Amino acid sequence: MRVQFTRAVASPTLAARPGQIVDLPDVQAQQRIDAGHAVAVGQPKPRLRDRLPGRRRTEPRTSAKESTVSQTRDGAGDGKALEKLTVDQLKEYADERDISLPDGGRKADLVAAIVAALSAGE
């Protein structure tokens, strides 16, 4: 594996200056990379958050709309989650549930109408 040294290294088997590119066996190259002495050449550099322990995200992120829809279906939607949606998303949400909305209403009016319709439907 080809590595580029980030700092000066001197050992009985290897001497390298910062910026020098050397071809090393995979095991030795990985040891130098893990120690922070070198970076792999020709491979993407790992992001800092991927190298820090406990910072890896294992669950995929959900969008605000998906979380709001799931909260409302579970009965936890009290309008606060709906306020995160855009006006277009609110209209789409109301259309999916056959909720009538006021014409030319502002976002607050749309949220209030949806909350009222959901409360009446329960």
Side-chain angles (χ1 to χ4, degrees):
M1 174 187 295
R2 293 177 57 100
V3 295
Q4 181 177 12
F5 282 86
T6 57
R7 60 179 70 158
V9 176
S11 70
T13 59
L14 175 68
R17 298 178 308 278
Q20 183 177 356
I21 297 175
V22 180
D23 195 16
L24 295 174
D26 289 346
V27 174
Q28 188 178 7
Q30 191 60 47
Q31 289 173 343
R32 296 291 182 176
I33 292 169
D34 291 341
H37 299 163
V39 294
V41 175
Q43 298 178 359
K45 184 177 178 181
R47 297 179 299 194
L48 178 61
R49 71 175 190 199
D50 292 338
R51 293 183 292 175
L52 297 175
R55 302 286 285 179
R56 294 190 179 138
R57 182 176 297 276
T58 56
E59 301 170 1
R61 289 185 170 183
T62 59
S63 68
K65 180 181 177 184
E66 292 171 357
S67 62
T68 302
V69 170
S70 65
Q71 287 176 357
T72 305
R73 283 184 191 146
D74 297 340
D78 59 355
K80 291 180 183 177
L82 289 172
E83 290 179 6
K84 293 180 182 178
L85 297 178
T86 64
V87 172
D88 291 334
Q89 290 172 334
L90 287 169
K91 289 178 181 178
E92 179 183 333
Y93 183 80
D95 286 341
E96 290 173 358
R97 285 157 185 76
D98 294 328
I99 298 173
S100 61
L101 297 176
D103 291 333
R106 292 187 293 173
K107 183 175 178 178
D109 299 332
L110 300 179
V111 171
I114 292 172
V115 170
L118 291 176
S119 298
E122 291 182 9

